[in-house]
């Protein structure tokens, strides 16, 4: 058996030890004689797996007790519709708009989709920088009538990450102190500690830093489930399986949840705890990113175009100065066991995604290969 260094942006590499455990338990989970995939989601075995995954995630992210953790389906793009359907009517029940900051491809997609449900105000956009920066918070034009503010705190394609926690009371005054902030954290959730209490809703697809595609995780502050009248804040047309209130009330068991994804995510949570939790992960991730960015900045042969303060620790897009060498670069990388480095078609070039499961040795091997390629050309 040989394993490669897999730089895919998602579905992405998982810790080998997790895959080994899943393989060992595939046919017979803990003496039950069946695979987790074959269990009823309402049986006590799976309920135990589910409860443990919830408890471990709550511990890892220090999720406050007034937040529900939901395990649902629909992925990141599903949330682009699920969020406005659940939240856009606001506390009063008759709001119909939201604000968004556009920092790249994924927030642009969120903007497009949410527009189908109400008015979306672009509070700020980094389009003028070619999506290489997070617009300064003081420049965001927030709208008092908006039910929430939507952010994508790590742009997987553009490689732009928020390295600050928005504090709207500070940047925009007391009138905005309670504006709910919704964050798409699909590609950096669990890469470092985050102050969950500063966000009203955090969501992410699992397939980058958590587990297999098909599982979506949402952390939602409980008061957002209801409007002032004490009934569901969701639009009546919101599908029941995507209604946060129904999901919360049924502990994500309103319908059949993505059971195998929850099981693998649970193993990843245990692995993260064994690594020392999210503070330790952050140090590991900073070390890897510093090595790669440090090299990129030391040469003109390659370039990362993102503003230094806004560079993603997870997704590192880079370009060869001579793009005619792209195919040769990728071929050599493949032969060296460095896989899935091709950049997203939206921006081209290369991209190295270095999520939690990427060991330092993988980034070292990449930098060694890049140096050798530079010498050879
Ligand atoms: N948001 C972000 C930040 C993403 O990286 C992705 C997927 N790459 C999505 C949303 C869309 O996720 P999905 O494909 O699960 O719908």
């Amino acid at each position: 058996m040989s394993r490669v260094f897999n730089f895919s942006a998602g579905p992405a590499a998982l810790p080998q030890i997790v895959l080994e455990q899943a393989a060992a338990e595939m046919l017979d989970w803990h003496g039950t004689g069946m695979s987790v995939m074959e269990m009823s989601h309402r049986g006590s075995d799976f309920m135990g797996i589910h409860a443990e995954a919830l408890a471990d995630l709550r511990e890892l992210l220090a999720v406050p007790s007034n937040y529900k953790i939901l395990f649902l389906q629909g992925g990141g793009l599903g949330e682009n519709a699920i969020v406005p359907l659940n939240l856009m009517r606001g506390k009063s029940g008759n709001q119909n708009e939201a604000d968004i900051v556009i920092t790249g491809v994924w927030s642009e997609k969120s903007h497009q989709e949410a527009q189908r449900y109400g008015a979306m105000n672009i509070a700020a956009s980094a389009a003028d920088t070619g999506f290489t920066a997070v617009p300064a918070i003081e420049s965001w034009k927030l709208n008092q009538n908006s039910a929430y503010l939507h952010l994508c705190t790590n742009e997987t394609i553009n490689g732009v990450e928020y390295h600050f926690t928005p504090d709207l009371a500070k940047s925009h005054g007391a009138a905005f102190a309670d504006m709910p902030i919704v964050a798409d954290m699909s590609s950096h959730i669990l890469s470092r500690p985050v102050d969950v209490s500063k966000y009203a809703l955090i969501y992410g697809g699992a397939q980058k830093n958590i587990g297999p595609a098909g599982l979506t995780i949402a952390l939602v502050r409980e008061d957002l489930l209801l409007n002032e009248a004490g009934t569901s804040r969701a639009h009546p047309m919101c599908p029941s399986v995507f209604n946060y209130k129904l999901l919360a009330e049924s502990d994500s068991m309103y319908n059949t949840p993505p059971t195998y994804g929850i099981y693998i995510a649970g193993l990843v949570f245990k692995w993260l705890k064994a690594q020392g939790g999210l503070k330790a992960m952050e140090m590991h991730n900073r070390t890897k990113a510093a090595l790669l960015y440090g090299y990129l900045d030391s040469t003109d042969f390659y370039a990362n175009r993102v503003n230094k303060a806004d560079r993603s620790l997870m997704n590192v897009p880079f370009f060869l100065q001579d793009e005619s060498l792209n195919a040769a670069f990728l071929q050599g990388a493949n032969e060296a066991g460095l896989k899935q480095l091709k950049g997203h078609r939206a921006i081209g070039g290369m991209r190295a995604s270095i999520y939690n499961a990427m060991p330092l040795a993988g980034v070292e091997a990449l930098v060694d290969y890049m140096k050798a390629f530079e010498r050879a050309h």
Side-chain angles (χ1 to χ4, degrees), residues 9 74-78 106 152 154-156 184 186-187 203 205 207-208:
L77 290 190
W106 293 110
C152 175
N154 188 63
E155 288 280 0
T156 322
D184 174 359
S186 292
S187 49
Y203 69 81
Q207 67 270 25
K208 297 159 199 307

